[in-house]
Amino acid sequence: MDKKFWSERIRGLVPYTPGEQPKDRVFIKLNTNENPWPPSPNVLKAIREEADERLRLYPDPEATALKAAIAKYCGVAPNQVFCGNGSDEVLGLCFYAFFTPGHKVVFPDITYSFYPVYTELFHLDYEEIPLNDDFTLPVEKFLGGNGGVVICNPNAPTGRTLPLSDIRRILEANPDVVVLVDEAYADFGAESAIPLLSEYPNLIVVCTLSKSRSLAGMRIGFAVGSPDLVAAVNCVKNSFNSYPLDRLALAAGVAAMEDVPYFEKTRARIMATREATAKTLRSLGFTVHDSSSNFLFITHPAMEGHALQLALRERGILVRWFDRPRIRDWLRVTIGTDDEMEAFCAACKEILGG
Ligand SMILES: Cc1ncc(COP(=O)(O)O)c(C=O)c1O
């Protein structure tokens, strides 16, 4: 590729690679942590009602109604909420808003692989702190001496959870820098750090409607923090794109946040399917870490991770394999419907039996 006209800032940049979205055939898709259940019927109704001639008008740049719905659900004030085009965008804006070149941002070596991309893009210094061998977080290595902390809780792709007591220790040891907690998967069984916001002005929590509210296709994410932190993210957003959320997404987001019974029902189903799947996989000889997310992180002593991923693909099942040190023999498997997970377990059994 000729990069002659590329800005020097991006010539060496390696962008994030999202999981495959196949177009050629129908797969059982357990590779991108999408929710197997549809969004709330109220969401589809809200989108239909919004899809009219008003689309010629710009959407509300402040996402007022959505912020109010999120604030109500989270028990915070609307000026503590920031909304963006998926939590990936919210994360990017937060990295820009809170971290300063020359001041090292720290996050684990095995975590959401978008974090190093943002740091590279924004020319931030960073250090990837190795997780323990069992993928738990060495909390003492996050206690100060850095320019910011990023923690994904539960962590991706391991699914492991950090207790709130440890998040609290990290917040207390880093009073002068921002601690960002990415809770993309927290709704599937982890304790949210949002209740700590009243005690810690250096905490920002980033969430998404892509996973637990089945809205990956609408691109809605949000951050919750002190009004001062939210103002910083707004400052960056309004220097880049004033209208990150379109009218349909704003309407969908409000309906999704308000339909709490549907949210409770679907996330409970996923957690039940996850536990049943973990049990079956353990009986097949897999090591399966306890997960508080909508995926399982698994490895089998009899087969390399990549070989197993390819064998599953041949059988029409997509899972995620990461070509990265320490986790090459592991697969991240999204929790689908009961039927999908039974098909997945049956395929594993057949492959390993052979
Ligand atoms: C840990 C983590 N954070 C954030 C995101 C981004 O989600 P979205 O941009 O769909 O809100 C993902 C998506 O897979 C994720 O795994």
Side-chain angles (χ1 to χ4, degrees):
M1 170 140 3
D2 183 0
K3 296 189 177 177
K4 181 180 157 196
F5 294 115
W6 292 34
S7 143
E8 278 173 25
R9 282 196 304 267
I10 64 157
R11 277 188 203 158
L13 189 65
V14 182
Y16 174 76
T17 315
E20 179 182 356
Q21 294 290 357
K23 294 177 186 70
D24 50 342
R25 68 181 262 205
V26 178
F27 283 94
I28 293 182
K29 251 191 111 275
L30 309 178
N31 65 331
T32 47
N33 294 343
E34 289 145 329
N35 196 313
W37 304 110
S40 153
N42 298 355
V43 168
L44 302 179
K45 186 165 169 275
I47 292 173
R48 271 186 228 109
E49 284 172 6
E50 190 67 24
D52 60 23
E53 66 87 22
R54 283 169 300 168
L55 289 181
R56 72 191 171 76
L57 301 171
Y58 282 107
D60 174 8
E62 298 306 324
T64 314
L66 180 56
K67 280 183 190 167
I70 292 169
K72 187 170 172 214
Y73 179 80
C74 295
V76 298
N79 67 353
Q80 290 186 264
V81 181
F82 174 85
C83 296
N85 189 250
S87 64
D88 277 340
E89 182 187 77
V90 177
L91 287 167
L93 298 174
C94 285
F95 271 64
Y96 199 87
F98 302 128
F99 305 139
T100 305
H103 299 263
K104 183 182 69 185
V105 183
V106 295
F107 42 82
D109 63 338
I110 301 166
T111 190
Y112 187 36
S113 42
F114 226 132
Y115 305 152
V117 179
Y118 297 127
T119 51
E120 295 285 349
L121 178 63
F122 300 139
H123 294 267
L124 298 168
D125 302 289
Y126 66 100
E127 183 183 347
E128 297 179 311
I129 297 182
L131 290 179
N132 299 320
D133 286 343
D134 61 358
F135 302 138
T136 52
L137 189 110
V139 178
E140 64 290 350
K141 302 219 170 88
F142 287 79
L143 303 181
N146 57 66
V149 181
V150 180
I151 289 177
C152 184
N153 195 37
N155 196 15
T158 66
R160 303 221 72 152
T161 310
L162 198 61
L164 272 198
S165 52
D166 284 336
I167 303 258
R168 198 183 266 282
R169 278 176 73 201
I170 293 170
L171 285 161
E172 278 171 11
N174 293 285
D176 298 321
V177 299
V178 168
V179 175
L180 186 159
V181 181
D182 179 351
E183 294 193 349
Y185 301 102
D187 288 331
F188 298 105
E191 230 181 327
S192 171
I194 290 175
L196 301 184
L197 284 171
S198 53
E199 292 172 67
Y200 299 102
N202 56 332
L203 170 64
I204 189 106
V205 180
V206 177
C207 307
T208 179
L209 276 68
S210 294
K211 317 292 180 181
S212 55
R213 289 183 174 80
S214 309
L215 281 177
M218 288 308 290
R219 315 304 303 128
I220 309 168
F222 63 93
V224 198
S226 73
D228 289 339
L229 295 192
V230 168
V233 195
N234 256 319
C235 171
V236 180
K237 174 219 133 190
N238 288 327
S239 308
F240 186 70
N241 177 9
S242 321
Y243 307 102
L245 287 169
D246 62 59
R247 284 179 169 269
L248 304 186
L250 290 173
V254 171
M257 292 311 298
E258 287 179 346
D259 196 349
V260 178
Y262 185 87
F263 160 76
E264 294 292 358
K265 190 172 78 185
T266 46
R267 72 168 170 161
R269 264 170 118 167
I270 287 171
M271 289 189 277
T273 306
R274 178 187 69 209
E275 295 314 305
T277 307
K279 199 169 158 205
T280 308
L281 291 173
R282 287 186 183 118
S283 76
L284 295 176
F286 280 93
T287 300
V288 184
H289 280 306
D290 288 338
S291 169
S292 310
S293 55
N294 69 337
F295 54 84
L296 291 169
F297 202 46
I298 65 170
T299 185
H300 197 283
M303 200 157 179
E304 285 178 356
H306 197 204
L308 182 52
Q309 183 215 16
L310 293 176
L312 286 162
R313 196 175 199 290
E314 271 172 29
R315 286 163 178 77
I317 300 173
L318 296 183
V319 298
R320 191 86 193 255
W321 171 73
F322 297 91
D323 188 9
R324 281 168 49 195
R326 299 185 71 194
I327 55 169
R328 281 203 178 85
D329 277 333
W330 292 79
L331 295 179
R332 193 197 66 192
V333 183
T334 305
I335 301 302
T337 61
D338 284 326
D339 287 351
E340 286 173 332
M341 299 323 284
E342 274 164 29
F344 165 73
C345 290
C348 287
K349 196 170 174 184
E350 185 188 295
I351 294 162
L352 292 163

